[in-house]
Amino acid sequence: MGPGFYVIAILGCADGSAGCTPVATLSTRYESRQACLAATPAALNENGDFDYPTLYAQCRPAKAPAAERAPRPAPQGTLQG
């Protein structure tokens, strides 16, 4: 089973594909890798204002925000002080 959703990361590269640095992670979540990949050209066009000679858009698996994760059960036992 794969991740719950994907996000698009924008990478800025100083020298072609070498030395790329993440410059933004977009907040839109995609339920499949295919949907994410289909959205990357538009995302790159809308987020191309970073000062790098080359920009790439990359789909990455994302973790659910803390509020959306299942709560952890309380630890068993007692605290001793």
Side-chain angles (χ1 to χ4, degrees), residues 24-39:
T25 301
L26 307 184
S27 60
T28 303
R29 298 184 296 188
Y30 301 92
E31 292 187 19
S32 70
R33 182 165 173 78
Q34 292 76 18
C36 183
L37 290 171

Side-chain angles (χ1 to χ4, degrees), residues 13-27:
C13 304
D15 188 20
S17 62
C20 294
T21 302
V23 294
T25 301
L26 307 184
S27 60

Side-chain angles (χ1 to χ4, degrees), residues 12-77:
C13 304
D15 188 20
S17 62
C20 294
T21 302
V23 294
T25 301
L26 307 184
S27 60
T28 303
R29 298 184 296 188
Y30 301 92
E31 292 187 19
S32 70
R33 182 165 173 78
Q34 292 76 18
C36 183
L37 290 171
T40 57
L44 195 53
N45 284 335
E46 294 171 9
N47 296 280
D49 57 347
F50 296 100
D51 190 24
Y52 285 89
T54 305
L55 293 173
Y56 290 104
Q58 182 181 66
C59 291
R60 294 184 172 179
K63 296 179 181 177
E68 294 181 14
R69 291 186 203 138
R72 291 184 180 177
Q76 299 294 322

